Amino acid sequence: MRRWMVAGNWKMHTTIGEAETISKAIKEGTKDIDKGEIVLAPPYTALYAVHKVIKDSHIALAAQNMYFQDKGAYTGEVSPIMLKDTGCAYVIVGHSERRKYFYEKDEEINEKVKKVLSTGLKPIVCVGETESEREKGITEFVVGMQVKKALFGVTDMEHIVIAYEPVWAIGTGKNATPMEAETVHRFIRHIIGDVYGDSVAQNLQILYGGSVTPDNIGALIAMEDIDGALVGGASLKAESFTGIIRKVAEKR
Ligand code: 13P
């Protein structure tokens, strides 16, 4: 059985103080949970503070982005070595907000995925179609291309996590139905199987993201190919994030 994961993407929210308060409450509220994986992705400025709260605990740290060089004259960028130094184990790569607002392309996402892996960190690779792509019936084509391009040349699949986040479901309160999500998750597993073989595909963690709440996670996690969630808004309140984690731990 694949291990579940619930990751909280705090996006551009929280001061250091707020991040410490939320992470302490999440740590306290989940201290009895000894399976699966809980991940917090605060903004860069709060990474080290959250690391100090969760180090030696059952919770892992993630960054929301990075640049694919170790160091150099790249004003404003942060390297994976720096992220490892702050205690990160994971990096979210290719989130749709980065694709949309910062024009990240599949080729750059692929560079990032490879760099994250070669630094000894694990990428959470985000893919997902827009509303108009879904309406045109090209969801699988779009998601399939994103997956293949993000993983081009990657051999180390053991450390990859994929998050399927339909763009139309992010921050809208309109989550994909469990069956809609399951169909795409199964498709992703299928194309990974084609490229890497069945056992790699069966071991791959695929998370769902997009308006996940304590109320809708139960039906999503009951699906065979949904291994957890990448949570935005509901991860900013310890009570709702803990509620999601508890539901997942209960069902898996
Ligand atoms: P919401 O849970 O706020 O819809 O955000 C999902 C997301 O983008 C997580 O990366």
Side-chain angles (χ1 to χ4, degrees):
M1 191 63 180
R2 290 179 295 273
R3 234 178 144 202
W4 57 259
M5 175 186 287
V6 178
N9 174 9
W10 293 356
K11 308 191 179 182
M12 200 171 72
H13 294 284
T14 70
T15 59
I16 293 172
E18 288 163 350
E20 282 170 341
T21 305
I22 303 170
S23 53
K24 276 179 195 158
I26 291 169
K27 181 175 154 186
E28 183 59 28
T30 57
K31 64 180 180 207
D32 57 319
I33 293 179
D34 58 0
K35 51 180 187 169
E37 228 169 343
I38 303 168
V39 179
L40 296 180
Y44 288 140
T45 46
L47 280 172
Y48 191 57
V50 172
H51 164 68
K52 284 197 276 184
V53 172
I54 63 178
K55 72 172 186 308
D56 304 323
S57 81
H58 57 299
I59 303 177
L61 190 67
Q64 299 173 17
N65 182 35
M66 50 131 249
Y67 192 55
F68 54 81
Q69 298 289 345
D70 290 336
K71 59 182 172 182
Y74 304 103
T75 302
E77 292 298 326
V78 171
S79 87
I81 292 179
M82 296 167 185
L83 297 177
K84 200 171 176 185
D85 193 41
T86 59
C88 286
Y90 292 92
V91 184
I92 298 172
V93 178
H95 192 282
S96 64
E97 287 151 12
R98 296 219 52 87
R99 295 178 192 254
K100 179 176 172 190
Y101 300 120
F102 305 100
Y103 311 105
E104 274 192 21
K105 298 278 173 274
D106 292 314
E107 293 67 29
E108 186 178 350
I109 291 163
N110 176 246
E111 291 292 342
K112 290 185 178 189
V113 168
K114 289 191 284 196
K115 191 70 191 173
V116 171
L117 289 169
S118 68
T119 309
L121 298 166
K122 296 178 241 179
I124 300 175
V125 184
C126 300
V127 296
E129 81 288 1
T130 63
E131 187 155 38
S132 78
E133 288 162 344
R134 174 161 284 263
E135 280 163 3
K136 283 186 206 138
I138 56 170
T139 295
E140 292 191 352
F141 173 76
V142 169
V143 170
M145 288 300 272
Q146 288 173 338
V147 169
K148 284 184 193 157
K149 287 183 171 180
L151 300 181
F152 185 74
V154 170
T155 48
D156 186 9
M157 284 301 291
E158 206 187 315
H159 297 122
I160 296 270
V161 178
I162 291 184
Y164 168 57
E165 300 203 301
V167 178
W168 49 271
I170 295 177
T172 57
K174 201 165 76 174
N175 66 292
T177 64
M179 212 45 232
E180 280 170 340
E182 170 65 10
T183 303
V184 181
H185 282 230
R186 195 176 297 165
F187 170 73
I188 294 171
R189 210 176 291 291
H190 175 76
I191 51 176
I192 294 295
D194 274 353
V195 179
Y196 297 97
D198 201 43
S199 90
V200 169
Q202 285 312 317
N203 286 321
L204 176 71
Q205 285 173 308
I206 309 178
L207 315 181
Y208 167 78
S211 298
V212 171
T213 65
D215 292 332
N216 61 30
I217 187 64
L220 287 160
I221 200 67
M223 296 286 130
E224 198 179 319
D225 290 288
I226 299 182
D227 304 313
L230 180 55
V231 186
S235 69
L236 285 163
K237 290 214 162 63
E239 198 186 338
S240 49
F241 192 56
T242 304
I244 291 169
I245 293 164
R246 295 209 158 276
K247 288 257 172 78
V248 171
E250 218 172 81
K251 300 244 178 185
R252 285 284 173 125

